[in-house]
Amino acid sequence: MLFYMDISISQHTQHPAWYHSNFLRVAQMQFQDFKKTYRKFYGKFENYKRFKLFQSNLVKINYHNSNPNRTWTMGVNQFSDLTDEEFEQTYTCNIDTFDSTIGEQSRKRISESFLEKIPNRVDWRQSGVVTKVKDQGTCGSCWAFRATEQLESYAALANVSKAELSVQELVSCVPNIRNISSGGCRGGNDWLAYNYVKLFGISTSEQYPYTSSLVNPDRDMVICNHNIKKPAIGIQDFGELESNDLNAVLNHIANVGPLGVQMGGAKFLHNYKSGVLKCNFDEPIKFSHAVQIVGYGTDSKYGDYWLIRNSWGKNWGEEGYFRLSRENICGQKLFSNETVCGMCGILYRATYPIGLYKIP
């Protein structure tokens, strides 16, 4: 069990020698605990390198947590031996926005901007339509997890199935538009995933289990295994809400079901532990992560939030979830003049499958 070290920045300033010796001692103890908890094994040189990075992250954690105005808390997690760059490169994914392959019917954006009567709090986990938190590992497959999670939720809502569906089939079989070949560890999007399911259906995870958790995206991708594919679920179409529409997202989550979204500011998730996360818009938004909004609520101290399921395992964050501020601020998309709204650009594009059915 990881313990938390709290050596404040003020102590560092007032007693630098005391701080340094105690920080190093506690950091060494916590690093050993970290390696045991997360089963980290390094060679001698790598161990020294990772310990230095671990120390650096501890400094960030303590500095952030010393701010009395913070709305979220940092803490040690499985990524605490990585730089921000390593973390984003390995555990997030390229969210492709290229969608010229999508049919006009599916590309049509749906306006739900009117607000029906909505409750103050919604959590679709309590309705039994949200499957367990999964772990994408080192494969940049967050886009496939988002699509699969949505398919599972809407299959359950339609009383079609409560089975877990195959992320691996999407990772291995959906054409990757960056490489013009199979291999979703380099990134993708849920529009391509949904179109694949419209054409071919999708297997259960039991039939086609996930094997890409340790795939290096720079190596050859896993080839689609046509011999084990056995489609269990199909869809008729999928919808996309009007871009940047807060009321549409609220209305849909309150009255229809969860939503698949993309977000920027993934680096803020690097050391996230708990609380209501806030990104900043100092730089244009680069979408690099895909997640599922499964509800919303209000924290008595930190205000309105979205409840979001991640794909980094149940030991990350708040048992695999994080809360993101519902503050409706806007910024600019990277390499574009497009406006993106919602914390971390979360309202930019929200999608969901339509017309799920069981394949005999």
Side-chain angles (χ1 to χ4, degrees):
M1 183 71 178
L2 287 172
F3 62 87
Y4 175 65
M5 178 191 64
D6 184 12
I7 302 178
S8 71
I9 300 302
S10 61
Q11 288 173 326
H12 183 191
T13 303
Q14 296 170 13
H15 307 285
W18 175 91
Y19 177 87
H20 178 76
S21 61
N22 280 274
F23 176 85
L24 184 60
R25 177 181 58 81
V26 177
Q28 288 172 335
M29 293 172 62
Q30 194 163 4
F31 186 59
Q32 295 303 317
D33 196 26
F34 164 80
K35 290 192 293 183
K36 182 178 179 180
T37 299
Y38 296 111
R39 298 183 180 181
K40 302 276 187 171
F41 303 97
Y42 316 110
K44 185 176 181 180
F45 175 77
E46 188 70 11
N47 189 78
Y48 176 80
K49 176 183 176 182
R50 293 300 157 189
F51 177 56
K52 290 298 182 183
L53 291 173
F54 186 82
Q55 284 182 279
S56 178
N57 279 309
L58 286 183
V59 171
K60 289 181 183 179
I61 290 168
N62 283 324
Y63 181 80
H64 173 86
N65 291 347
S66 68
N67 182 354
N69 297 318
R70 72 183 188 279
T71 63
W72 57 286
T73 300
M74 286 186 176
V76 171
N77 60 33
Q78 65 264 49
F79 309 126
S80 295
D81 60 345
L82 303 174
T83 65
D84 285 344
E85 292 73 23
E86 287 175 323
F87 164 72
E88 290 193 76
Q89 183 178 6
T90 306
Y91 293 97
T92 61
C93 60
N94 295 311
I95 305 297
D96 295 311
T97 56
F98 174 78
D99 60 359
S100 64
T101 59
I102 299 175
E104 187 61 34
Q105 182 182 5
S106 297
R107 292 178 63 188
K108 182 179 180 181
R109 293 188 177 181
I110 299 170
S111 176
E112 295 183 6
S113 58
F114 61 92
L115 266 182
E116 297 179 5
K117 184 177 180 181
I118 63 171
N120 293 327
R121 181 179 180 274
V122 171
D123 186 345
W124 282 102
R125 295 176 299 181
Q126 298 177 353
S127 301
V129 300
V130 176
T131 53
K132 68 180 182 181
V133 172
K134 303 176 178 67
D135 191 346
Q136 69 188 66
T138 57
C139 174
S141 51
C142 57
W143 64 275
F145 278 84
R146 170 182 61 179
T148 305
E149 289 163 358
Q150 282 290 91
L151 291 165
E152 291 169 345
S153 291
Y154 282 76
L157 284 166
N159 293 317
V160 169
S161 169
K162 288 195 174 183
E164 292 189 18
L165 300 175
S166 176
V167 176
Q168 190 62 53
E169 182 173 356
L170 298 184
V171 171
S172 297
C173 303
V174 174
N176 185 296
I177 62 177
R178 292 181 179 271
N179 305 310
I180 318 177
S181 65
S182 294
C185 283
R186 294 183 184 272
N189 64 44
D190 52 354
W191 307 284
L192 292 170
Y194 287 144
N195 272 288
Y196 172 86
V197 178
K198 282 176 65 176
L199 291 171
F200 306 109
I202 185 171
S203 308
T204 64
S205 61
E206 182 179 6
Q207 181 72 30
Y208 201 149
Y210 190 62
T211 58
S212 289
S213 59
L214 297 177
V215 169
N216 185 332
D218 293 327
R219 298 175 187 162
D220 293 336
M221 297 296 105
V222 178
I223 302 301
C224 183
N225 191 335
H226 296 280
N227 294 324
I228 66 174
K229 286 171 54 177
K230 185 178 180 182
I233 298 295
I235 63 172
Q236 296 175 357
D237 210 340
F238 62 97
E240 179 183 332
L241 298 185
E242 196 67 38
S243 185
N244 298 324
D245 194 329
L246 173 63
N247 287 347
V249 174
L250 272 172
N251 182 73
H252 190 97
I253 293 175
N255 298 295
V256 182
L259 280 169
V261 294
Q262 59 194 48
M263 64 176 288
K267 65 181 180 181
F268 293 101
L269 298 173
H270 183 179
N271 294 303
Y272 174 87
K273 191 69 175 178
S274 62
V276 179
L277 182 72
K278 288 189 177 182
C279 305
N280 62 55
F281 281 85
D282 294 342
E283 300 175 353
I285 290 290
K286 176 187 177 183
F287 290 108
S288 59
H289 199 37
V291 291
Q292 184 189 35
I293 303 179
V294 300
Y296 62 81
T298 300
D299 186 280
S300 60
K301 186 175 180 180
Y302 301 127
D304 297 339
Y305 63 83
W306 301 110
L307 177 62
I308 300 179
R309 172 162 64 158
N310 209 345
S311 52
W312 296 335
K314 65 179 182 180
N315 292 324
W316 177 88
E318 297 181 333
E319 298 184 338
Y321 290 79
F322 67 101
R323 289 176 290 164
L324 182 68
S325 173
R326 237 192 302 159
E327 185 178 350
N328 192 19
I329 58 177
C330 297
Q332 183 178 332
K333 184 183 173 186
L334 186 66
F335 305 128
S336 168
N337 291 323
E338 290 183 86
T339 297
V340 294
C341 295
M343 193 61 63
C344 304
I346 204 79
L347 301 177
Y348 178 64
R349 277 184 168 170
T351 60
Y352 60 98
I354 296 172
L356 282 85
Y357 59 91
K358 189 171 184 178
I359 298 176

PDB file of all heavy atoms in Angstrom, residues 244-263:
ATOM      1  N   ASN A 244     -19.879  21.323 -29.062  1.00  0.00           N
ATOM      2  CA  ASN A 244     -19.736  22.330 -27.999  1.00  0.00           C
ATOM      3  C   ASN A 244     -21.049  22.733 -27.333  1.00  0.00           C
ATOM      4  O   ASN A 244     -21.181  23.849 -26.839  1.00  0.00           O
ATOM      5  CB  ASN A 244     -19.041  23.590 -28.549  1.00  0.00           C
ATOM      6  CG  ASN A 244     -17.644  23.315 -29.051  1.00  0.00           C
ATOM      7  OD1 ASN A 244     -16.922  22.501 -28.487  1.00  0.00           O
ATOM      8  ND2 ASN A 244     -17.259  23.993 -30.127  1.00  0.00           N
ATOM      9  N   ASP A 245     -22.011  21.827 -27.309  1.00  0.00           N
ATOM     10  CA  ASP A 245     -23.333  22.145 -26.762  1.00  0.00           C
ATOM     11  C   ASP A 245     -23.482  21.522 -25.372  1.00  0.00           C
ATOM     12  O   ASP A 245     -23.774  20.329 -25.234  1.00  0.00           O
ATOM     13  CB  ASP A 245     -24.422  21.627 -27.708  1.00  0.00           C
ATOM     14  CG  ASP A 245     -25.793  22.198 -27.390  1.00  0.00           C
ATOM     15  OD1 ASP A 245     -26.051  22.478 -26.205  1.00  0.00           O
ATOM     16  OD2 ASP A 245     -26.601  22.361 -28.319  1.00  0.00           O
ATOM     17  N   LEU A 246     -23.292  22.324 -24.351  1.00  0.00           N
ATOM     18  CA  LEU A 246     -23.372  21.845 -22.974  1.00  0.00           C
ATOM     19  C   LEU A 246     -24.735  21.262 -22.660  1.00  0.00           C
ATOM     20  O   LEU A 246     -24.843  20.182 -22.063  1.00  0.00           O
ATOM     21  CB  LEU A 246     -23.054  22.985 -22.007  1.00  0.00           C
ATOM     22  CG  LEU A 246     -23.264  22.695 -20.517  1.00  0.00           C
ATOM     23  CD1 LEU A 246     -22.341  21.591 -20.042  1.00  0.00           C
ATOM     24  CD2 LEU A 246     -23.051  23.963 -19.686  1.00  0.00           C
ATOM     25  N   ASN A 247     -25.805  21.959 -23.050  1.00  0.00           N
ATOM     26  CA  ASN A 247     -27.154  21.477 -22.752  1.00  0.00           C
ATOM     27  C   ASN A 247     -27.448  20.152 -23.426  1.00  0.00           C
ATOM     28  O   ASN A 247     -28.127  19.286 -22.860  1.00  0.00           O
ATOM     29  CB  ASN A 247     -28.192  22.516 -23.166  1.00  0.00           C
ATOM     30  CG  ASN A 247     -28.225  23.709 -22.235  1.00  0.00           C
ATOM     31  OD1 ASN A 247     -27.650  23.674 -21.159  1.00  0.00           O
ATOM     32  ND2 ASN A 247     -28.892  24.770 -22.651  1.00  0.00           N
ATOM     33  N   ALA A 248     -26.933  19.977 -24.653  1.00  0.00           N
ATOM     34  CA  ALA A 248     -27.144  18.722 -25.367  1.00  0.00           C
ATOM     35  C   ALA A 248     -26.506  17.562 -24.630  1.00  0.00           C
ATOM     36  O   ALA A 248     -27.094  16.485 -24.496  1.00  0.00           O
ATOM     37  CB  ALA A 248     -26.590  18.829 -26.784  1.00  0.00           C
ATOM     38  N   VAL A 249     -25.294  17.777 -24.137  1.00  0.00           N
ATOM     39  CA  VAL A 249     -24.595  16.720 -23.412  1.00  0.00           C
ATOM     40  C   VAL A 249     -25.301  16.413 -22.098  1.00  0.00           C
ATOM     41  O   VAL A 249     -25.524  15.246 -21.753  1.00  0.00           O
ATOM     42  CB  VAL A 249     -23.120  17.118 -23.173  1.00  0.00           C
ATOM     43  CG1 VAL A 249     -22.417  16.093 -22.288  1.00  0.00           C
ATOM     44  CG2 VAL A 249     -22.391  17.239 -24.516  1.00  0.00           C
ATOM     45  N   LEU A 250     -25.683  17.438 -21.358  1.00  0.00           N
ATOM     46  CA  LEU A 250     -26.415  17.235 -20.109  1.00  0.00           C
ATOM     47  C   LEU A 250     -27.707  16.475 -20.341  1.00  0.00           C
ATOM     48  O   LEU A 250     -28.041  15.523 -19.637  1.00  0.00           O
ATOM     49  CB  LEU A 250     -26.726  18.585 -19.465  1.00  0.00           C
ATOM     50  CG  LEU A 250     -25.690  19.187 -18.516  1.00  0.00           C
ATOM     51  CD1 LEU A 250     -26.102  20.603 -18.137  1.00  0.00           C
ATOM     52  CD2 LEU A 250     -25.514  18.326 -17.275  1.00  0.00           C
ATOM     53  N   ASN A 251     -28.461  16.922 -21.337  1.00  0.00           N
ATOM     54  CA  ASN A 251     -29.747  16.298 -21.630  1.00  0.00           C
ATOM     55  C   ASN A 251     -29.582  14.831 -22.008  1.00  0.00           C
ATOM     56  O   ASN A 251     -30.331  13.964 -21.553  1.00  0.00           O
ATOM     57  CB  ASN A 251     -30.437  17.055 -22.766  1.00  0.00           C
ATOM     58  CG  ASN A 251     -31.810  16.499 -23.087  1.00  0.00           C
ATOM     59  OD1 ASN A 251     -32.753  16.676 -22.335  1.00  0.00           O
ATOM     60  ND2 ASN A 251     -31.922  15.819 -24.210  1.00  0.00           N
ATOM     61  N   HIS A 252     -28.574  14.540 -22.831  1.00  0.00           N
ATOM     62  CA  HIS A 252     -28.376  13.171 -23.296  1.00  0.00           C
ATOM     63  C   HIS A 252     -27.975  12.252 -22.142  1.00  0.00           C
ATOM     64  O   HIS A 252     -28.519  11.154 -22.000  1.00  0.00           O
ATOM     65  CB  HIS A 252     -27.306  13.138 -24.385  1.00  0.00           C
ATOM     66  CG  HIS A 252     -27.206  11.832 -25.088  1.00  0.00           C
ATOM     67  ND1 HIS A 252     -27.826  11.578 -26.301  1.00  0.00           N
ATOM     68  CD2 HIS A 252     -26.601  10.666 -24.736  1.00  0.00           C
ATOM     69  CE1 HIS A 252     -27.584  10.328 -26.668  1.00  0.00           C
ATOM     70  NE2 HIS A 252     -26.840   9.756 -25.730  1.00  0.00           N
ATOM     71  N   ILE A 253     -27.036  12.698 -21.323  1.00  0.00           N
ATOM     72  CA  ILE A 253     -26.592  11.861 -20.210  1.00  0.00           C
ATOM     73  C   ILE A 253     -27.721  11.660 -19.202  1.00  0.00           C
ATOM     74  O   ILE A 253     -27.877  10.574 -18.635  1.00  0.00           O
ATOM     75  CB  ILE A 253     -25.356  12.478 -19.539  1.00  0.00           C
ATOM     76  CG1 ILE A 253     -24.177  12.429 -20.509  1.00  0.00           C
ATOM     77  CG2 ILE A 253     -25.002  11.737 -18.252  1.00  0.00           C
ATOM     78  CD1 ILE A 253     -22.934  13.119 -20.019  1.00  0.00           C
ATOM     79  N   ALA A 254     -28.527  12.684 -18.985  1.00  0.00           N
ATOM     80  CA  ALA A 254     -29.622  12.564 -18.019  1.00  0.00           C
ATOM     81  C   ALA A 254     -30.733  11.664 -18.520  1.00  0.00           C
ATOM     82  O   ALA A 254     -31.327  10.907 -17.743  1.00  0.00           O
ATOM     83  CB  ALA A 254     -30.186  13.950 -17.706  1.00  0.00           C
ATOM     84  N   ASN A 255     -31.041  11.710 -19.819  1.00  0.00           N
ATOM     85  CA  ASN A 255     -32.248  11.053 -20.322  1.00  0.00           C
ATOM     86  C   ASN A 255     -32.031   9.912 -21.314  1.00  0.00           C
ATOM     87  O   ASN A 255     -32.965   9.184 -21.622  1.00  0.00           O
ATOM     88  CB  ASN A 255     -33.141  12.104 -20.988  1.00  0.00           C
ATOM     89  CG  ASN A 255     -33.605  13.163 -20.008  1.00  0.00           C
ATOM     90  OD1 ASN A 255     -34.340  12.870 -19.077  1.00  0.00           O
ATOM     91  ND2 ASN A 255     -33.158  14.400 -20.201  1.00  0.00           N
ATOM     92  N   VAL A 256     -30.786   9.763 -21.806  1.00  0.00           N
ATOM     93  CA  VAL A 256     -30.542   8.724 -22.817  1.00  0.00           C
ATOM     94  C   VAL A 256     -29.495   7.721 -22.345  1.00  0.00           C
ATOM     95  O   VAL A 256     -29.781   6.536 -22.203  1.00  0.00           O
ATOM     96  CB  VAL A 256     -30.117   9.348 -24.169  1.00  0.00           C
ATOM     97  CG1 VAL A 256     -29.928   8.249 -25.221  1.00  0.00           C
ATOM     98  CG2 VAL A 256     -31.135  10.373 -24.649  1.00  0.00           C
ATOM     99  N   GLY A 257     -28.270   8.186 -22.107  1.00  0.00           N
ATOM    100  CA  GLY A 257     -27.219   7.266 -21.693  1.00  0.00           C
ATOM    101  C   GLY A 257     -25.857   7.929 -21.714  1.00  0.00           C
ATOM    102  O   GLY A 257     -25.734   9.140 -21.958  1.00  0.00           O
ATOM    103  N   PRO A 258     -24.788   7.172 -21.457  1.00  0.00           N
ATOM    104  CA  PRO A 258     -23.416   7.717 -21.463  1.00  0.00           C
ATOM    105  C   PRO A 258     -23.026   8.233 -22.838  1.00  0.00           C
ATOM    106  O   PRO A 258     -23.670   7.934 -23.848  1.00  0.00           O
ATOM    107  CB  PRO A 258     -22.562   6.506 -21.064  1.00  0.00           C
ATOM    108  CG  PRO A 258     -23.488   5.599 -20.330  1.00  0.00           C
ATOM    109  CD  PRO A 258     -24.812   5.756 -21.022  1.00  0.00           C
ATOM    110  N   LEU A 259     -21.929   8.993 -22.865  1.00  0.00           N
ATOM    111  CA  LEU A 259     -21.429   9.546 -24.123  1.00  0.00           C
ATOM    112  C   LEU A 259     -19.925   9.292 -24.248  1.00  0.00           C
ATOM    113  O   LEU A 259     -19.182   9.382 -23.269  1.00  0.00           O
ATOM    114  CB  LEU A 259     -21.682  11.055 -24.193  1.00  0.00           C
ATOM    115  CG  LEU A 259     -23.103  11.492 -24.580  1.00  0.00           C
ATOM    116  CD1 LEU A 259     -23.271  12.991 -24.355  1.00  0.00           C
ATOM    117  CD2 LEU A 259     -23.415  11.134 -26.031  1.00  0.00           C
ATOM    118  N   GLY A 260     -19.499   9.003 -25.468  1.00  0.00           N
ATOM    119  CA  GLY A 260     -18.085   8.877 -25.766  1.00  0.00           C
ATOM    120  C   GLY A 260     -17.552  10.231 -26.202  1.00  0.00           C
ATOM    121  O   GLY A 260     -18.118  10.867 -27.093  1.00  0.00           O
ATOM    122  N   VAL A 261     -16.472  10.688 -25.577  1.00  0.00           N
ATOM    123  CA  VAL A 261     -15.926  12.009 -25.884  1.00  0.00           C
ATOM    124  C   VAL A 261     -14.408  11.928 -26.009  1.00  0.00           C
ATOM    125  O   VAL A 261     -13.786  10.949 -25.629  1.00  0.00           O
ATOM    126  CB  VAL A 261     -16.295  13.043 -24.788  1.00  0.00           C
ATOM    127  CG1 VAL A 261     -17.791  13.300 -24.771  1.00  0.00           C
ATOM    128  CG2 VAL A 261     -15.814  12.574 -23.411  1.00  0.00           C
ATOM    129  N   GLN A 262     -13.841  12.999 -26.557  1.00  0.00           N
ATOM    130  CA  GLN A 262     -12.395  13.127 -26.627  1.00  0.00           C
ATOM    131  C   GLN A 262     -11.982  14.340 -25.819  1.00  0.00           C
ATOM    132  O   GLN A 262     -12.775  15.251 -25.607  1.00  0.00           O
ATOM    133  CB  GLN A 262     -11.938  13.257 -28.080  1.00  0.00           C
ATOM    134  CG  GLN A 262     -12.525  14.454 -28.815  1.00  0.00           C
ATOM    135  CD  GLN A 262     -12.332  14.357 -30.311  1.00  0.00           C
ATOM    136  OE1 GLN A 262     -12.608  13.318 -30.921  1.00  0.00           O
ATOM    137  NE2 GLN A 262     -11.843  15.432 -30.913  1.00  0.00           N
ATOM    138  N   MET A 263     -10.739  14.341 -25.366  1.00  0.00           N
ATOM    139  CA  MET A 263     -10.300  15.437 -24.521  1.00  0.00           C
ATOM    140  C   MET A 263      -8.838  15.776 -24.777  1.00  0.00           C
ATOM    141  O   MET A 263      -8.051  14.937 -25.215  1.00  0.00           O
ATOM    142  CB  MET A 263     -10.496  15.101 -23.043  1.00  0.00           C
ATOM    143  CG  MET A 263      -9.665  13.936 -22.538  1.00  0.00           C
ATOM    144  SD  MET A 263      -9.831  13.650 -20.755  1.00  0.00           S
ATOM    145  CE  MET A 263      -8.919  15.061 -20.091  1.00  0.00           C
TER     146      MET A 263
END
